Amino acid sequence: MRDTPFETIGELEAYTGGPQIQCLECGKWFKSLATHLPRIHDMSHDDYRQKWGIPKRFALAGTATREKLSEQLKEAISKGEFTYDHLGSAIEASRLAGRGRKTPVDQKRQSEMVASIRPGDHSKLPPGEKTADGRDAENRRRYQQARRSQGRQLWQDSPDRQKKGLIAWRALQKGDPKPWFHYVAEYDTYSQYNEDEDTIIKQFYPDWGALRVGVVLKRTPNSVRARAQTLNVPSNLPQAKSHPFRWDRSNDPDLVKMVRNRKTQKELSEHFGTSMTTIAAQMKRLKIKKPKKPRD
């Protein structure tokens, strides 16, 4: 009888593959551990599985019991005695239960799978296959790698790129995105930041801000802002400050009374010393509706 949890699939298959199954708490053999565990050891099935590292897909019964139950279930289905009305509630209960903690067997299995499969291999066509347009997949991959490895014009060494970037930004400000699309198509960037992009952020981020630099680099403002923080590049643009005021719920009765007296949100914000957004949020929380104006 073992005294450590299971570590491999082979050990579990050997443990559950016989006509009888051994209780690892007392060493006795049974056709099934369904009633033995709670009666003798005062232990639930989940506690037993967690202690010995047995996933739920392995039954706590021998092959003879499993085959007998399988035959009984097939017979009940053929006679129409078994219905699937319980599946809806069972699925909902499973969804609410969430995922349990992985057993050592499953953790080892997942680690081996992750180590054997590199990121992106699941969508990579094997050698000799063709893409959807009929081209050879391997030749297409080599062409893309060669094209991406070609050097691009650096921002500081290309006045033409600087001019096109400024034109694209001004056109975008006026509502015309076409120059920006042409600029992005001509000066495509890598997924990771390179030295050229870092130079642009260091030179223009303090005065331009994340939005304008993001247009030039084909990046999102949040990505540019995070990269600027990594490079310790400050911004000279005015930043919006969060309001330090926190709503005191003791003001709820006064808020209700003033709303019913037809006070505007501006008057309420000045009275309580907070923003109109906070006033609107508290009115929504308290489900306060403005009284309708009386008809003349």
Side-chain angles (χ1 to χ4, degrees):
M1 187 177 69
R2 66 183 302 121
D3 55 356
T4 58
F6 293 97
E7 297 180 356
T8 63
I9 297 292
E11 294 177 351
L12 281 168
E13 291 177 348
Y15 174 67
T16 59
Q20 291 185 330
I21 187 170
Q22 184 184 28
C23 175
L24 299 177
E25 295 293 325
C26 60
K28 296 181 180 180
W29 292 83
F30 300 91
K31 294 181 179 179
S32 173
L33 300 179
T35 58
H36 172 73
L37 291 175
R39 286 183 180 179
I40 305 302
H41 302 291
D42 193 20
M43 178 182 291
S44 66
H45 295 174
D46 291 339
D47 294 339
Y48 183 81
R49 291 178 183 276
Q50 184 177 0
K51 179 178 179 179
W52 296 104
I54 304 175
K56 289 189 175 181
R57 62 179 180 275
F58 288 90
L60 298 179
T63 55
T65 302
R66 299 204 299 268
E67 291 174 358
K68 182 180 179 180
L69 294 176
S70 178
E71 292 297 331
Q72 292 177 357
L73 182 60
K74 290 179 181 178
E75 184 179 357
I77 293 175
S78 62
K79 293 181 180 180
E81 299 175 356
F82 184 82
T83 63
Y84 299 94
D85 299 338
H86 67 287
L87 290 182
S89 58
I91 293 173
E92 182 65 15
S94 176
R95 186 184 66 82
L96 295 176
R99 287 189 173 184
R101 187 175 181 180
K102 281 188 173 65
T103 61
V105 175
D106 289 338
Q107 290 178 354
K108 184 177 180 180
R109 181 186 177 192
Q110 184 179 10
S111 300
E112 293 175 352
M113 181 181 64
V114 171
S116 62
I117 302 177
R118 297 183 305 168
D121 283 354
H122 63 281
S123 60
K124 183 178 179 180
L125 294 175
E129 295 292 332
K130 295 185 180 297
T131 59
D133 56 1
R135 299 181 180 182
D136 185 84
E138 189 66 24
N139 292 340
R140 180 67 175 173
R141 190 178 301 113
R142 291 174 182 173
Y143 169 78
Q144 291 177 350
Q145 292 174 353
R147 181 178 178 275
R148 291 169 182 169
S149 63
Q150 294 175 356
R152 293 179 174 84
Q153 291 180 331
L154 299 181
W155 175 271
Q156 61 269 23
D157 299 335
S158 176
D160 185 56
R161 178 179 176 181
Q162 298 180 19
K163 181 179 178 181
K164 290 182 179 179
L166 295 176
I167 293 174
W169 168 257
R170 291 168 183 167
L172 189 64
Q173 292 291 95
K174 295 179 181 179
D176 182 14
K178 289 184 179 180
W180 177 71
F181 291 139
H182 290 303
Y183 173 83
V184 166
E186 183 175 357
Y187 301 101
D188 195 8
T189 57
Y190 294 101
S191 58
Q192 296 181 352
Y193 282 91
N194 51 37
E195 295 181 2
D196 181 31
E197 293 175 319
D198 289 344
T199 302
I200 295 174
I201 292 176
K202 292 177 182 178
Q203 184 176 356
F204 297 102
Y205 176 79
D207 298 325
W208 283 13
L211 179 60
R212 189 171 177 181
V213 174
V215 171
V216 174
L217 299 180
K218 191 190 171 185
R219 302 281 187 173
T220 61
N222 289 337
S223 174
V224 173
R225 196 175 294 110
R227 185 60 179 174
Q229 292 178 358
T230 303
L231 298 174
N232 295 324
V233 180
S235 175
N236 298 331
L237 299 179
Q239 302 292 327
K241 297 182 179 179
S242 59
H243 204 284
F245 179 82
R246 290 188 177 182
W247 182 259
D248 187 359
R249 298 209 171 186
S250 62
N251 295 327
D252 289 351
D254 294 338
L255 177 62
V256 175
K257 183 177 179 181
M258 295 181 69
V259 170
R260 290 176 179 173
N261 291 335
R262 307 183 187 281
K263 298 293 183 180
T264 63
Q265 288 190 1
K266 185 176 182 181
E267 293 174 341
L268 294 172
S269 65
E270 293 176 353
H271 176 78
F272 292 104
T274 184
S275 63
M276 290 189 289
T277 304
T278 303
I279 295 296
Q282 299 307 317
M283 291 175 61
K284 184 177 180 180
R285 179 180 63 84
L286 296 171
K287 298 181 180 179
I288 307 174
K289 294 184 179 179
K290 295 181 179 180
K292 296 182 180 180
K293 295 182 180 180
R295 296 182 180 179
D296 296 336

